[in-house]
Amino acid sequence: MDLKDLQLFCDLVETGSFSKTAQRNFITQSAVSQRMRILERELGRTLLSRQKGKGKVELTDAGRLLYEGARSLVREAMALEERLKGFSDSMEGTVRIATVYSVGLHELPGRLKPFLRQYPQVSVHLEYSSTARIYNDVFSGAMDIGIVAVPTTHVGIEVLPFSEEPMALICPPEHPFARLEAICLHQLNGQNFVTFDVNIPTRKLVDEHLRLAGAHVRIVNTCDNIEMLKNLVELGQGISLVPEITARKEAREGSLVIVPLTPEDAFCRPVGLLLRRRNPQRTVVRVLVEALIGKPKGGGPMKSSPR
């Protein structure tokens, strides 16, 4: 069994999607499918249930057995590789990044691709994960870098500023708000509203700004990722407040309209890059961090208060 194939298999199980696995490993979806068929031939077992019309990956009994053994094996192999390469200052090896989906899909690629073009010998293992798990994985050393929205103070974690994402209203083209050049938050009072689940930091940020503006929205649906949220708005279930950068594609295609907030109500979603505090970073990790955010002015962590 090839370790890379096992890593792809574990990624496929964890993401539940061939397309997301391809994005995470910077290869094509067809390449993922091909490598999984090769792995099945080598093992002489069917690992995945490929039923037409189903949008998620389903494991066979053999697939579940392989995943239980492979996930720890892959992580141990990656950790050993990085420890060995840590003896060298060369720009090579694998950097493990865990990010929330909205940042990883919409903002990270534009910063990551120039680095990978400059250092083609470096491999980036990209994992989409929940905020809580990202903090845990960075603290434990399972991930070299974490990227989260609305970062908070955690023991043993250093937070560096990654970006400030302006928030904006999104609505279907037929909604009355779509004709506005800008909108105040108090105008959202009584509107049907689609938002994130209560445990997601961006939801808490949006709730706080609506509260301060005295806007009492009618929450009709919640979800745990930005793509589902935008789909619900497109279907006309309600309006929403999201980072403007995450809706640009839909705005270009005409399925959604972005309405900026007025200067009085404008606010941003902070995004932070997480590193394990007091942990010597490999050269390749340090250079990648500088490429993603630049050298922090003053060399200190990003100041963030718990929300």
Side-chain angles (χ1 to χ4, degrees):
M1 289 181 289
D2 185 274
L3 244 167
K4 179 61 178 177
D5 289 346
L6 289 179
Q7 179 182 315
L8 284 174
F9 175 73
C10 291
D11 287 348
L12 185 57
V13 174
E14 291 164 6
T15 63
S17 164
F18 279 88
S19 61
K20 291 179 182 177
T21 301
Q23 289 174 356
R24 178 185 288 189
N25 290 274
F26 298 95
I27 59 176
T28 64
Q29 186 172 332
S30 61
V32 176
S33 182
Q34 182 181 10
R35 296 307 303 176
M36 291 305 97
R37 288 191 174 90
I38 291 173
L39 183 60
E40 287 179 323
R41 284 202 303 269
E42 289 176 345
L43 295 174
R45 297 287 186 275
T46 299
L47 305 174
L48 306 169
S49 176
R50 297 176 174 85
Q51 298 181 23
K52 289 187 177 180
K54 293 207 170 186
K56 63 179 182 178
V57 172
E58 293 187 1
L59 293 177
T60 64
D61 290 341
R64 280 188 287 272
L65 180 63
L66 178 63
Y67 177 66
E68 289 173 4
R71 58 183 174 179
S72 58
L73 179 64
V74 168
R75 284 201 168 183
E76 288 174 7
M78 290 176 64
L80 176 59
E81 177 188 1
E82 300 317 317
R83 284 198 298 271
L84 289 171
K85 288 180 177 176
F87 288 106
S88 169
D89 286 337
S90 62
M91 285 296 297
E92 61 180 9
T94 301
V95 181
R96 300 156 298 175
I97 302 177
T99 177
V100 292
Y101 191 70
S102 60
V103 178
L105 183 64
H106 297 282
E107 191 168 2
L108 183 59
R111 304 192 188 197
L112 193 55
K113 287 178 181 177
F115 173 86
L116 293 175
R117 284 196 296 267
Q118 184 177 358
Y119 301 103
Q121 69 274 30
V122 176
S123 173
V124 170
H125 174 77
L126 187 61
E127 181 171 315
Y128 297 111
S129 190
S130 67
T131 298
R133 182 175 174 182
I134 291 173
Y135 279 105
N136 290 336
D137 284 347
V138 171
F139 182 75
S140 69
M143 290 289 157
D144 298 302
I145 298 170
I147 302 175
V148 299
V150 197
T152 58
T153 302
H154 280 64
V155 174
I157 298 290
E158 181 180 14
V159 184
L160 302 175
F162 183 81
S163 67
E164 292 280 335
E165 300 176 332
M167 302 290 288
L169 177 89
I170 57 171
C171 62
E174 62 273 13
H175 195 281
F177 287 165
R179 297 189 294 271
L180 300 177
E181 293 185 3
I183 193 166
C184 300
L185 288 177
H186 69 78
Q187 291 177 261
L188 309 188
N189 193 57
Q191 291 286 322
N192 289 343
F193 199 76
V194 179
T195 188
F196 290 105
D197 292 339
V198 293
N199 62 321
I200 294 180
T202 303
R203 163 71 182 275
K204 299 174 184 177
L205 178 69
V206 168
D207 284 355
E208 177 66 9
H209 281 271
L210 289 174
R211 184 189 67 80
L212 292 173
H216 301 283
V217 297
R218 186 184 301 112
I219 296 176
V220 296
N221 214 327
T222 65
C223 50
D224 64 358
N225 71 81
I226 188 68
E227 301 307 303
M228 178 62 72
L229 188 153
K230 290 185 295 184
N231 287 339
L232 292 173
V233 175
E234 287 180 14
L235 292 171
Q237 290 206 12
I239 59 177
S240 190
L241 289 170
V242 301
E244 183 268 342
I245 191 174
T246 65
R248 289 177 183 172
K249 177 177 179 291
E250 291 76 12
R252 287 194 301 268
E253 295 171 348
S255 60
L256 287 176
V257 174
I258 298 173
V259 184
L261 299 176
T262 59
E264 296 78 14
D265 284 343
F267 68 100
C268 292
R269 180 178 79 162
V271 177
L273 186 147
L274 312 182
L275 296 171
R276 188 178 181 185
R277 194 180 293 277
R278 292 187 296 275
N279 182 52
Q281 300 293 341
R282 291 175 291 130
T283 298
V284 65
V285 175
R286 293 197 306 269
V287 174
L288 176 54
V289 168
E290 291 172 6
L292 292 177
I293 64 173
K295 293 183 179 179
K297 290 181 174 60
M302 177 182 181
K303 295 186 182 299
S304 56
S305 57
R307 286 182 172 86

